[in-house]
Amino acid sequence: MELYTPEALITEDEISLRIQALGNAITKDFEDEDLVVICVLKGAFVFCSDLIKKINRPISLEFISLSSYGDSTNSSGNVRLEMDITANIEGKNVLIVEDIVDTGLTIKTLMDIMAVRKPKTVKLASLLFKPVKLKHPVKIDYLGFEIEDKFVIGYGLDYAGRYRELPYIGILNAGN
Ligand code: 5GP
């Protein structure tokens, strides 16, 4: 089978520089505070693991899993909670770490789920933002990169379960 190398949109070096800047900003904003970081599986796991290494605060890490896309490149319009966090976040500072905000439905649903649990604060870090299809406005407190409306893969993001291991963000080429 021929090895397919997707075209790079954002390189490893660009990602690493941006994550350092986000980590610095988060460290500054949470001076003297602890943080519960919630990594949204599966897509955000690479971003989250690099980001927490750049946050110089005491962190406890939680994982949550929601599904909206299935194996397609278009949103189904449904979001299902597949796996919940295990910690009680009442009175805590929460940082949600997401891979990409597209229509905003996934993150809006997640914010609603978190809000009823009465955290002290909830902030959002997203590696990517595609403003073109945004239907559910959300405030991204820490954004990696704004991108055009292309289906991206790599650095944790998949297409039908593939390409998560790519060290950079690439564009899925139809036909591959
Ligand atoms: P939203 O609910 O904002 O429409 O979609 C968010 C979710 O859709 C993301 O967490 C991600 O799983 C998936 N998604 C949206 N755009 C892309 C994309 O360009 N590439 C990949 N791999 N997933 C995407």
Side-chain angles (χ1 to χ4, degrees), residues 36-42 44-46 48-49 52 60-66 81-87 95 97 110 114 117:
V36 180
V37 170
I38 301 181
C39 173
V40 185
L41 294 174
K42 295 177 184 172
F45 86 105
V46 179
C48 190
S49 94
I52 58 171
S60 64
L61 186 61
E62 291 289 322
F63 296 95
I64 199 162
S65 173
L66 299 121
L81 180 61
E82 292 187 328
M83 191 192 88
D84 204 350
I85 57 171
T86 55
L95 177 67
V97 179
L110 185 50
M114 291 304 141
R117 301 178 184 185

Side-chain angles (χ1 to χ4, degrees), residues 69 98-100 102-106 130 150-152 157-158:
Y69 266 59
E98 175 63 301
D99 55 358
I100 183 164
D102 186 12
T103 66
L105 180 64
T106 306
K130 282 200 263 187
K150 295 251 167 72
F151 195 83
V152 289
L157 290 115
D158 76 313

